[in-house]
Amino acid sequence: MSIEQALIERSNNQCELCAATDNLSVYEVPPVTEAHSDKCIYVCQTCKDQIENNADLIANHWHCLNDSMWSQTPAVQVVAYRMLKRLATDNGWAQDALDMIYLEEDTLKWAQTALAEDDDIKHIDSNGVVLQAGDTVTLIKDLDVKGSSLVAKRGTAVRNIGLTSNPEHIEGRVDGQRIVILTKYVKK
């Protein structure tokens, strides 16, 4: 049985992300070491173009991830995780979904491996130390949070930070609110 036939059978001949039934094709989930149906998903052209950055992200299209992120197929979980990561900086619903998603350890490593390869962006704190996702940082200045009456106080520990596509920004929770913080105002 060919890879495409295996995917058609697994997906019931619909996009494994958004359930569309037109213009479907095989997408190999990077990094690809060998062609195998377990390393591929069956997707529509709309999803494929946005996954491969050939088209601008249409956030409303990706609400489908609220369902597909619960797929039992690791390759689908990996793509859902990666797309939620890309959408999370501008969309609260995507960050909420990302906070809920559960991936087995191997699947999470697979998802994060390609993310690390995709962007060679270095997030540097105020002392020149490279920051990693999941680090704990301390604020070195009182920060007014835009759109809120919250003031993040100097000395506040921000645990389990997230990295963004902008090397000058990180994300973290302060007083239960997820905020974007400039790296020049934190130290590891």
Side-chain angles (χ1 to χ4, degrees), residues 27-116:
Y27 173 72
E28 292 182 326
V29 182
V32 180
T33 52
E34 63 179 271
H36 192 280
S37 61
D38 290 343
K39 302 288 184 179
C40 301
I41 62 174
Y42 206 47
V43 294
C44 67
Q45 195 60 46
T46 303
C47 288
K48 191 173 187 176
D49 286 344
Q50 292 182 51
I51 291 168
E52 294 175 338
N53 293 320
N54 295 334
D56 291 333
L57 282 179
I58 302 168
N60 285 339
H61 174 78
W62 292 105
H63 282 283
C64 62
L65 295 177
N66 286 319
D67 294 326
S68 57
M69 71 182 203
W70 301 112
S71 170
Q72 296 299 307
T73 306
V76 175
Q77 294 173 345
V78 166
V79 173
Y81 178 87
R82 291 176 183 170
M83 293 308 297
L84 288 169
K85 271 297 223 196
R86 283 177 54 193
L87 291 160
T89 55
D90 299 325
N91 300 284
W93 66 267
Q95 184 59 54
D96 292 343
L98 197 55
D99 290 343
M100 287 189 302
I101 196 169
Y102 172 78
L103 302 177
E104 294 291 335
E105 189 174 331
D106 293 343
T107 306
L108 182 60
K109 283 181 184 174
W110 178 15
Q112 292 175 335
T113 298
L115 287 176

Side-chain angles (χ1 to χ4, degrees), residues 122-132 135-141 143 154-156 161 167-170 181-188:
K122 300 245 186 275
H123 292 73
I124 311 291
D125 75 357
S126 61
N127 296 325
V129 176
V130 176
L131 300 173
Q132 303 290 330
D135 282 349
T136 298
V137 296
T138 305
L139 299 179
I140 61 169
K141 176 183 176 183
L143 302 173
R154 179 177 164 220
T156 300
I161 64 167
E168 297 176 1
H169 295 164
I170 59 170
I181 306 166
L182 295 175
T183 56
K184 65 183 177 183
Y185 297 131
V186 299
K187 67 178 182 179
K188 187 168 178 183

